[in-house]
Amino acid sequence: QKEVEQDPGPLSVPEGAIVSLNCTYSNSAFQYFMWYRQYSRKGPELLMYTYSSGNKEDGRFTAQVDKSSKYISLFIRDSQPSDSATYLCAMTLNNAGNMLTFGGGTRLMVKP
Amino acid sequence: KAGVTQTPRYLIKTRGQQVTLSCSPISGHRSVSWYQQTPGQGLQFLFEYFSETQRNKGNFPGRFSGRQFSNSRSEMNVSTLELGDSALYLCASSLPGREQYFGPGTRLTVT
């Protein structure tokens, strides 16, 4: 079993829908949580960066971390066709430097 | 501010050869990390360098190595290439303990 699990999708939604992307993890020592967006043949682009439990909002994006359940989420409001990409969750320990552990990614398709 | 740059962007090598990939971090970033991305294994951590010292290493064989220069630029080397080394190699840079920003990657194909 992988340390970070993520439904690979694809997840297909109509334009304007609210999208919910999720990851579960097994290592309770993870403290920092990130969401990256990766377009085909590009490098991952950082969307959200959160520390420990709680919510963080940035424009149409909201990241949630529930450490008690070892579960993180990314919500995308008013989804657009340009949001079509693979979304990767990543996390790291408090003192592990920059060693990120990634989920496998969820492919999202937003249809006009 | 310019982003992370990686060269070359595409590379084709033959089994048994070696390859060197280069990464220039965002100006002011002294931490550089390398990752391998494949369809089967996803994104996996290779190693991290900070101030010319390797700080962390992932679970990869010794054929994979790296180094960092005094200007924070980094290189990674893969010796005795195998077919399974075909992947997108990603470099990321950051300030100490902060979020990582990725470059566009180098796509390596081993034939």
Side-chain angles (χ1 to χ4, degrees):
Chain A
Q1 188 181 1
K2 292 189 174 182
E3 229 176 339
V4 181
E5 297 280 358
Q6 193 174 1
D7 188 327
L11 178 62
S12 182
V13 301
E15 183 176 354
I18 296 175
V19 176
S20 172
L21 303 165
N22 311 295
C23 285
T24 59
Y25 61 94
S26 56
N27 188 345
S28 58
F30 284 131
Q31 295 280 354
Y32 296 88
F33 304 90
M34 286 133 273
W35 285 94
Y36 286 86
R37 176 174 64 193
Q38 186 174 26
Y39 292 112
S40 181
R41 299 196 168 272
K42 302 283 188 183
E45 171 194 8
L46 180 66
L47 289 175
M48 301 291 281
Y49 177 78
T50 56
Y51 170 68
S52 198
S53 286
N55 292 1
K56 183 176 181 179
E57 188 174 321
D58 185 0
R60 296 185 297 114
F61 299 93
T62 300
Q64 284 186 352
V65 174
D66 182 350
K67 289 195 69 186
S68 63
S69 301
K70 288 185 269 192
Y71 188 88
I72 68 171
S73 301
L74 177 72
F75 297 95
I76 307 174
R77 290 183 298 280
D78 188 25
S79 56
Q80 303 294 310
S82 58
D83 293 327
S84 298
T86 296
Y87 289 79
L88 298 150
C89 65
M91 46 200 77
T92 187
L93 305 175
N94 200 21
N95 60 351
N98 284 336
M99 187 172 67
L100 294 180
T101 301
F102 280 87
T106 298
R107 187 172 158 223
L108 172 67
M109 295 188 295
V110 181
K111 298 190 174 179
Chain B
K1 208 180 230 187
V4 177
T5 58
Q6 293 186 245
T7 56
R9 294 292 311 279
Y10 303 92
L11 206 49
I12 299 175
K13 289 286 188 179
T14 304
R15 266 184 308 175
Q17 288 186 314
Q18 74 164 16
V19 67
T20 299
L21 312 180
S22 181
C23 171
S24 291
I26 292 170
S27 178
H29 287 191
R30 292 165 59 194
S31 175
V32 174
S33 300
W34 289 89
Y35 295 83
Q36 181 197 65
Q37 186 174 32
T38 60
Q41 298 298 319
L43 262 157
Q44 293 184 286
F45 173 79
L46 280 158
F47 28 66
E48 179 205 0
Y49 286 87
F50 179 77
S51 293
E52 302 178 66
T53 301
Q54 188 179 89
R55 192 156 65 171
N56 285 295
K57 189 177 192 314
N59 188 25
F60 278 82
R63 300 185 297 106
F64 292 82
S65 63
R67 58 177 176 169
Q68 186 180 33
F69 302 96
S70 58
N71 62 357
S72 295
R73 191 177 68 86
S74 177
E75 289 181 347
M76 68 162 281
N77 184 78
V78 187
S79 63
T80 320
L81 284 166
E82 300 177 0
L83 294 178
D85 297 332
S86 294
L88 181 67
Y89 290 88
L90 292 158
C91 167
S93 77
S94 73
L95 295 169
R98 297 290 302 179
E99 59 271 28
Q100 296 182 49
Y101 295 90
F102 283 83
T106 294
R107 186 163 296 278
L108 171 66
T109 301
V110 182
T111 63

